[in-house]
Amino acid sequence: MLLQTIHSPDDLKKLPEKKLKILAQEMRNKIIEVVGQNGGHLASNLGVVELTIALHRIFNSPQDAIVWDVSHQSYPHKLLTGRYDIFSTLRTKNGMSGFTRISESPHDYFDAGHASSSISSALGLLASWKLQGRNDKVVAVIGDGALTGGMAYEGLNHAGQLAENLIVIVNDNQMSISPNTGSISRYLSHLTMSVPYQTIRYKIDKFVDKIPYFNRFVGKLIFRMKRGLKGLLLTNNLFVDLGFEYVGPLNGHDIEQMERTLLRVKKIRRPVVMHVVTKKGKGYSPAENDPASFHGVGAFNIMDGVMEKFDTLSFTEAFSRKIVALAEKDEKITAITAAMSKGTGLDAFSRHFKERFFDVGIAEEHAVTFAGGLAAGGLVPVVAIYSTFIQRSIDQIIEDVALQNRHVVFVFDRCGAVPSDGETHQGIFDISLLRPVPNITILSVVSENDLGICLDWAVHAANGPVAIRWPKLSCPSEIPAFSKDIHVGRGLLLRNDDYAPAVSATLSYELEKKKRKSVKNILFVCTGSIYSEVRTAARSLLLKEIPTDIFILRFIKPFDESYFISIARQYNFVVFVEDGVRIGGISEYLDVVLHKNVYTSDIQTRIFAFPDHFTTNGTRAQILEEAELDSDFIVKSILSDIGKK
């Protein structure tokens, strides 16, 4: 097997050209095998195999830097840079990351899980090298829709002025996660599909390759002539106008053509944009036929591409049903996504209400400000974005929505612990980032019914901006408490016979006796996204005959302090559990509120939240265990605090 012999790009350079197609197929097979088992980003990686081979044969990584954007398409790069032996650990705890990671390899210059950052990072690296007298190249591979993000153009605008050793590879696969939308996608397609240029270019290349001995010299001459010809046939080239040399479009699956072009590009003393056209999912028919579904996947059967199905309803699916039902009755409801219609549950909305659905590309900042404009015009925009990606638009939420008190509804999917995607994709910062913002309302939902009630209220009854958060989980079983009407600022109080009726019924006499004796009785106060773990911990305490109730923070902001204090006074141990960072979170705030209003001797408190460090790969259970937020640790800590085994 060829792939097993590649321990570094030096080994790759020694392979004869006739074996490169075999290597490419082995790489695809390995990626399909491991992603089929572990889940991951499949279609985008299958599309860049040949491009990655060509880059590592022509450039001298890590002396030359290759920066991947979005770096979820770096699996082939990892296979060629000494990580074949650990590739099977992809996205597992203590295993290989699904994104580039500095700690893994000197060939990875940046930890990059979010899109559109490569050109800025590459430019900064080049500027640093230049000041230190280095003359190496930096290649930014930007694709999978990352060129729809505004930051990419900020980088291009700056780079065209000063980055002579910068090569930007535009990996044009007509996809981000959902199909690319907007003018930039159409512009790249125009360049790609220009028939006159493509026809003449193909004939020239074919003719030059047949000239013996002189083909290298003539090739350079023709290369310059083609640039001039391209200027005549492709007017108004954005990249040229920004100061770049533009090369392409090229077939991203033709290794020989790309190597030949990269050798020439490497010698150009100006910043270069090289436009490469690839097919997302290349070589695996299920992914080729449905690249959106095979963008980021869980485990699947590699023989037929059938993915695991679960009988339980996820929060994302519950939202999808509810937003469609609301929109059928209210024509003012619109929906916005940033290239994630399927991941956020808006794909059904997009089919039912095409005119009211907006996919803005990987442009979260624009999505938020655009929503503010829709609200100013009298509509009710619902903006669906993952918690990790809303971080990119905090300024827009503050300035363009909250400051003007626009009625925009934000829904944050994948809050709290997010399995497998590592440090860059955890949804643990949204509470701390948004709690200080005036005018905004923040809700945390716990079930399908609760989600429906909160979304209906946010759309029809709320004023100003509202954010609703939920986890990447299945909805818990419904209980009557989850269906209570909205009371602004108040949460949901679950007595032990609400969340654990069977246990409560068995122990009811003993529990009441314990309460009368004034032993420790416990109130859990938690965000909805971590209710499942809190319920498990509460049941464990009940089984030890410790009276335990749960207060779910339906409202994180605004918050009815007096109502909460009146409840908390009934307990002598209040335990806060939050699926966000502790610093600046709701738990720290409420802990202070309690101690200001209740005598310290009357009440004991404890906070469980994410600590002040980034979270690594793992399952949800592993992430929570590492953060000391798993139910077992919570129970042991509480028992230790109250002096009970």
Side-chain angles (χ1 to χ4, degrees):
M1 186 174 177
L2 287 175
L3 184 55
Q4 289 178 292
T5 68
I6 306 298
H7 304 292
S8 73
D10 290 338
D11 296 325
L12 177 64
K13 291 179 173 69
K14 297 172 185 175
L15 279 184
E17 286 188 7
K18 64 183 180 181
K19 291 190 176 182
L20 296 181
K21 286 186 178 180
I22 299 172
L23 175 65
Q25 187 57 53
E26 289 183 3
M27 291 171 67
R28 284 195 169 90
N29 292 342
K30 188 65 176 177
I31 292 169
I32 293 167
E33 173 195 334
V34 173
V35 176
Q37 179 177 330
N38 297 359
H41 292 88
L42 183 66
S44 53
N45 282 287
L46 297 180
V48 297
V49 170
E50 289 86 1
L51 172 60
T52 308
I53 291 172
L55 284 170
H56 277 295
R57 280 172 62 86
I58 298 304
F59 293 95
N60 298 311
S61 178
Q63 288 74 30
D64 297 320
I66 302 175
V67 184
W68 294 90
D69 186 5
V70 182
S71 78
H72 62 230
Q73 59 186 331
S74 64
Y75 298 1
H77 162 79
K78 296 191 178 206
L79 284 172
L80 297 177
T81 52
R83 283 169 274 186
Y84 173 84
D85 289 341
I86 64 168
F87 196 76
S88 61
T89 68
L90 175 71
R91 290 163 48 92
T92 61
K93 185 171 177 60
N94 300 321
M96 194 182 78
S97 172
F99 302 90
T100 53
R101 181 187 280 170
I102 301 165
S103 61
E104 269 184 19
S105 170
H107 296 275
D108 292 2
Y109 273 84
F110 301 98
D111 293 344
H114 288 186
S116 311
S117 62
S118 60
I119 298 170
S120 298
S121 294
L123 185 57
L125 183 62
L126 266 179
S128 174
W129 286 358
K130 185 175 181 180
L131 289 172
Q132 298 172 68
R134 284 184 60 173
N135 196 38
D136 298 300
K137 296 284 186 179
V138 178
V139 182
V141 184
I142 183 166
D144 225 23
L147 203 58
T148 62
M151 185 178 176
Y153 295 94
E154 296 174 20
L156 283 169
N157 183 55
H158 190 198
Q161 305 170 33
L162 54 86
E164 65 181 31
N165 280 329
L166 176 66
I167 298 167
V168 177
I169 308 285
V170 176
N171 174 27
D172 178 11
N173 61 11
Q174 287 84 52
M175 294 286 292
S176 46
I177 294 157
S178 304
N180 275 344
T181 58
S183 300
I184 297 301
S185 179
R186 289 193 295 273
Y187 175 77
L188 290 176
S189 296
H190 166 72
L191 293 176
T192 305
M193 300 305 294
S194 175
V195 176
Y197 170 69
Q198 288 286 3
T199 302
I200 296 173
R201 197 197 76 163
Y202 175 76
K203 290 180 178 179
I204 290 174
D205 283 343
K206 194 171 182 180
F207 172 73
V208 170
D209 287 341
K210 291 181 179 180
I211 302 175
Y213 306 112
F214 294 101
N215 57 351
R216 287 187 63 190
F217 170 76
V218 175
K220 291 181 181 178
L221 178 63
I222 297 300
F223 183 65
R224 295 177 181 273
M225 289 175 61
K226 286 194 294 185
R227 281 157 49 192
L229 176 65
K230 189 179 302 178
L232 292 173
L233 296 178
L234 297 176
T235 57
N236 301 320
N237 187 308
L238 169 67
F239 305 112
V240 173
D241 292 342
L242 287 172
F244 285 80
E245 186 71 39
Y246 174 81
V247 177
L250 302 170
N251 179 357
H253 302 294
D254 186 332
I255 299 175
E256 184 181 353
Q257 181 194 51
M258 283 191 293
E259 285 191 13
R260 190 167 60 242
T261 305
L262 285 169
L263 278 170
R264 295 166 180 166
V265 163
K266 193 175 179 181
K267 298 174 184 176
I268 296 176
R269 303 288 295 176
R270 294 180 59 193
V272 179
V273 166
M274 182 170 155
H275 182 183
V276 174
V277 180
T278 62
K279 184 172 183 61
K280 199 167 182 179
K282 175 74 173 176
Y284 184 56
S285 56
E288 286 190 27
N289 296 332
D290 189 4
S293 294
F294 280 88
H295 169 76
V297 295
F300 64 93
N301 186 328
I302 65 174
M303 297 301 294
D304 54 15
V306 174
M307 301 180 198
E308 288 186 23
K309 299 290 184 182
F310 300 95
D311 295 331
T312 53
L313 183 76
S314 71
F315 279 95
T316 305
E317 291 166 334
F319 164 69
S320 180
R321 295 178 183 181
K322 185 61 179 178
I323 191 67
V324 169
L326 289 174
E328 285 174 345
K329 299 176 182 178
D330 188 344
E331 294 183 354
K332 288 188 175 183
I333 295 175
T334 58
I336 303 167
T337 184
M340 296 291 290
S341 60
K342 184 165 288 190
T344 58
L346 285 178
D347 49 334
F349 186 101
S350 70
R351 294 191 300 271
H352 284 82
F353 311 104
K354 187 176 180 180
E355 297 300 318
R356 290 190 269 157
F357 172 75
F358 304 94
D359 185 343
V360 302
I362 304 179
E364 291 83 3
E365 300 96 323
H366 167 63
V368 171
T369 302
F370 174 67
L374 288 176
L379 297 178
V380 182
V382 177
V383 183
I385 295 177
Y386 289 180
S387 172
T388 182
F389 297 135
I390 202 65
Q391 296 164 192
R392 298 158 64 91
S393 58
I394 296 300
D395 180 66
Q396 287 71 28
I397 291 175
I398 295 171
E399 296 291 326
D400 302 327
V401 176
L403 177 66
Q404 302 169 51
N405 206 28
R406 300 296 186 193
H407 186 200
V408 176
V409 178
F410 299 99
V411 295
F412 301 158
D413 204 321
R414 305 196 181 194
C415 292
V418 179
S420 303
D421 281 334
E423 300 96 320
T424 58
H425 281 57
Q426 298 306 309
I428 60 177
F429 300 107
D430 55 277
I431 294 175
S432 291
L433 288 171
L434 292 178
R435 269 194 63 247
V437 179
N439 292 335
I440 197 165
T441 296
I442 307 172
L443 297 99
S444 175
V445 299
V446 69
S447 74
E448 178 187 4
N449 283 351
D450 188 33
L451 188 156
I453 292 166
C454 290
L455 185 62
D456 197 349
W457 178 87
V459 168
H460 293 123
N463 295 311
V466 181
I468 308 175
R469 63 192 310 273
W470 56 73
K472 185 183 181 182
L473 272 182
S474 298
C475 297
S477 300
E478 293 291 350
I479 60 174
F482 294 159
S483 300
K484 290 181 179 178
D485 292 338
I486 291 280
H487 293 279
V488 175
R490 298 186 177 186
L492 302 173
L493 179 61
L494 279 58
R495 303 292 186 183
N496 49 58
D497 52 352
D498 289 319
Y499 69 85
V503 176
S504 179
T506 303
L507 301 173
S508 58
Y509 175 75
E510 291 298 327
L511 291 173
E512 286 302 317
K513 190 166 65 174
K514 297 269 186 182
K515 287 182 181 179
R516 288 195 297 272
K517 288 183 177 180
S518 299
V519 299
K520 289 291 183 183
N521 60 317
I522 295 170
L523 177 68
F524 277 109
V525 180
C526 70
T527 47
S529 301
I530 202 164
Y531 165 74
S532 296
E533 287 75 18
V534 168
R535 178 180 178 273
T536 300
R539 288 183 82 255
S540 296
L541 293 170
L542 277 180
L543 289 169
K544 294 182 181 295
E545 300 181 1
I546 300 172
T548 307
D549 296 336
I550 302 173
F551 184 83
I552 298 170
L553 295 165
R554 177 184 261 177
F555 277 84
I556 292 174
K557 183 181 180 181
F559 194 82
D560 189 333
E561 294 181 8
S562 58
Y563 172 73
F564 173 67
I565 292 167
S566 69
I567 292 174
R569 285 184 186 277
Q570 303 171 33
Y571 303 84
N572 48 35
F573 196 176
V574 177
V575 179
F576 299 98
V577 187
E578 180 174 356
D579 65 329
V581 291
R582 174 169 178 154
I583 298 174
I586 183 67
S587 297
E588 277 197 338
Y589 166 72
L590 292 180
D591 188 49
V592 172
V593 167
L594 272 188
H595 285 106
K596 278 185 176 180
N597 292 276
V598 182
Y599 288 115
T600 305
S601 59
D602 293 340
I603 195 165
Q604 182 180 356
T605 62
R606 178 76 179 261
I607 296 175
F608 295 91
F610 278 93
D612 189 23
H613 62 72
F614 289 105
T615 304
T616 56
N617 282 350
T619 63
R620 175 183 171 88
Q622 289 168 336
I623 292 168
L624 293 177
E625 182 179 7
E626 180 185 307
E628 298 183 342
L629 276 165
D630 60 296
S631 56
D632 285 346
F633 183 83
I634 291 171
V635 170
K636 288 177 183 177
S637 300
I638 291 172
L639 293 177
S640 174
D641 286 348
I642 65 177
K644 184 179 176 70
K645 293 184 180 180

